[in-house]
Amino acid sequence: VTVLERAPHLGGTTAISGGVAWIPASDVARTAGVDDSPTAALTYLRALGLGDYDDAPATVFAHDAARVARTIEATTPIEWVLLPDWPDYQSHLPGGLAGGRSIWPAPLAAPPDLARRIQPTPEVPDLPDLPVVADAPVTDAVVLRGPVRGRALVAGLAMALSERGVELRTGARVRRLDLDGQGGVRGVVLDRAESVPGAVVLATGGFQHDAALARTFLPAPGIAALGPPGCAGDGLRMALGAGAALGNMADAWWMPAIRVPGETIDDAPFYRPLHHERAQPGSLMVDREGRRFVDEAQNYCDAGRAMLRFDPGAYGWPAAPAWLVFDRAYRERTAVGPLAPGGDDPDWLIRAASVAELGAAIGVDPATLTATVDRFNRFAAAGHDPDFGRGAHPYDRWIGDAAAPHPNLAPLGAAPFYALEVLPGCLGTKGGPRTDVDGRVLRADGASIPGLFAAGNAAASPFGIGTPGGGGTIGPALVFGTRAGEAAAT
């Protein structure tokens, strides 16, 4: 087995994520007394699965996720920890839970040379400056922990592979599949015509960093591509060249995002997720007309999808980009991207003495913005948002400020007032080759392509537009990656 990674570092988007996996009915959940079952999880996925939903792999996922998580614990140094209070993103739907399906890896001691090979970002820099690497419990090891545990997840998988003699090559870009002339795949071809034989599992991530593919398939222009630039559709092109059928191509794991000038990842612009900031009291989001358009505290994928609304009258996408508006009280207590609470204001953070002046500064009608803030303030003071239901969902309240009088709502009243541009971001695309329940890539007639498999964001998500909960990308990637590997091995 050989792992060929295009980028100079290992782990891709997973490495710079929280490392959370959505795994229904897991062993750690059962030990904690969570009342869950594969049947309940499948009921939830079916309720969630609007759009290009595929019930067969969704069914297998719901019933096999716990087994895969158990297998990973048994064959790697990874130990799963339950995040018991993290609600499903639409927990009010049938089968949804108010917590118990999101898990992540325990802190992991990793060899320093391996830790340095894992993908860094401005949020979690490379090892010499990594603030969460400290107090190594064993000689010649570093502990990967903190809120970005994707590094621990990638390190644990890589350590297990190394123990089994699997070659992990970085800077090795596959250029095409080696086709056998009879419709099957017998290996890959890299730069300089180097070939590697064997069954092929495409795990190249999505295509959000390829401008042409994004323009062709995604529903709005100007979408900010999050994650490493290697997520550029290499696997999609290879699958197309082998005759694969495609699915779910117009959807993605959406995420409102911000751009801090000068930040890069592997020489590409780096976009930060705007995650908890939207849910904190004393803030709201407005479109370029100065109006609210979404429950700001809603989960990132559905909040990001709301930014893609097309206005036929204005003939454009008024919320792409949008603005996060907040006041001094919010600024003093809330971290915003890389900005610590109450710190100095950088030039890229727009501020003004009044809401009207802020509107003028960001090109929004001052009267409209003032009316929007006044209306929001009345609702916030009453602790109720009849326009968009902010704070009504368990997820809203969970990600808000538990120490505040209301976890999500507070009036904006303390000058100065601030505005931060919010871009329609894409954590990863959901489209790719259709696969069966074992990750085999399918043709349009439903037959599988011999020797070709796909998993993760390199394959079509079976969940349609649904994002089930925290780890809704990594959970299916682990399950179908495992099943693809098991099928390829036989």
Side-chain angles (χ1 to χ4, degrees), residues 135-421:
D135 303 325
V138 295
T139 304
D140 296 329
V142 294
V143 177
L144 302 177
R145 60 179 175 213
V148 185
R149 294 200 190 178
R151 297 172 69 90
L153 178 56
V154 170
L157 296 174
M159 291 164 68
L161 294 180
S162 296
E163 289 174 0
R164 288 161 176 76
V166 173
E167 183 181 6
L168 299 170
R169 293 175 57 183
T170 53
R173 185 174 184 180
V174 174
R175 293 295 181 177
R176 61 180 177 87
L177 297 173
D178 185 9
L179 305 178
D180 63 11
Q182 299 177 344
V185 174
R186 61 189 179 189
V188 296
V189 178
L190 288 75
D191 289 325
R192 295 179 296 277
E194 177 188 2
S195 63
V196 178
V200 176
V201 180
L202 301 174
T204 56
F207 58 82
Q208 69 269 24
H209 276 276
D210 185 277
L213 290 173
R215 185 171 58 249
T216 299
F217 293 110
L218 299 185
I223 291 175
L226 282 76
C231 296
D234 287 9
L236 174 61
R237 290 190 179 87
M238 284 184 268
L240 281 170
L246 302 183
N248 219 7
M249 291 299 295
D251 202 28
W253 309 99
W254 306 113
M255 168 66 85
I258 63 172
R259 174 85 170 101
V260 176
E263 289 189 337
T264 61
I265 178 169
D266 293 346
D267 298 323
F270 178 69
Y271 297 95
R272 289 177 176 262
L274 191 72
H275 194 32
H276 74 280
E277 295 93 338
R278 297 176 285 106
Q280 306 309 302
S283 68
L284 71 159
M285 280 176 62
V286 298
D287 61 19
R288 294 194 307 282
E289 296 175 346
R291 297 183 175 90
R292 289 181 70 208
F293 60 93
V294 69
D295 166 10
E296 297 92 343
Q298 182 63 275
N299 73 81
Y300 50 85
C301 198
D302 293 326
R305 180 177 287 107
M307 297 181 68
L308 306 178
R309 172 179 56 89
F310 182 77
D311 182 347
Y315 202 71
W317 291 263
W323 296 96
L324 179 72
V325 175
F326 50 94
D327 69 352
R328 175 172 52 82
Y330 173 102
R331 177 75 178 92
E332 289 176 350
R333 69 175 180 269
T334 305
V336 182
L339 305 180
D344 294 335
D345 295 334
D347 292 341
W348 49 266
L349 183 61
I350 300 172
R351 56 182 286 174
S354 69
V355 173
E357 291 179 21
L358 187 69
I362 62 176
V364 170
D365 177 63
T368 302
L369 182 60
T370 299
T372 296
V373 172
D374 288 345
R375 179 178 176 85
F376 177 83
N377 283 350
R378 292 194 300 272
F379 296 150
H384 176 58
D385 175 21
D387 286 344
F388 296 99
R390 178 167 168 175
H393 291 282
Y395 177 82
D396 292 18
R397 299 188 293 273
W398 174 79
I399 199 173
D401 184 354
H406 189 290
N408 307 113
L409 296 171
L412 285 68
F417 297 91
Y418 296 87
L420 180 62
E421 187 177 46

Side-chain angles (χ1 to χ4, degrees), residues 68-96:
V68 168
R70 189 181 312 123
T71 299
I72 290 171
E73 275 199 324
T75 56
T76 78
I78 292 168
E79 295 182 9
W80 296 114
V81 176
L82 183 68
L83 295 164
D85 300 324
W86 196 323
D88 288 344
Y89 287 164
Q90 301 291 347
S91 58
H92 61 285
L93 294 179

Side-chain angles (χ1 to χ4, degrees), residues 22 45 48-59 61 205-207 236 245-254 301 305 428-436 454-469 471-477 480:
W22 194 77
L45 291 174
L48 200 68
L50 304 177
D52 195 359
Y53 170 80
D54 191 341
D55 195 60
T59 300
F61 169 82
F207 58 82
L236 174 61
L246 302 183
N248 219 7
M249 291 299 295
D251 202 28
W253 309 99
W254 306 113
C301 198
R305 180 177 287 107
T429 50
K430 289 185 179 179
R434 293 194 184 276
T435 57
D436 69 6
N457 289 349
S461 170
F463 298 162
I465 71 167
T467 302
T473 54
I474 291 177
F480 293 111

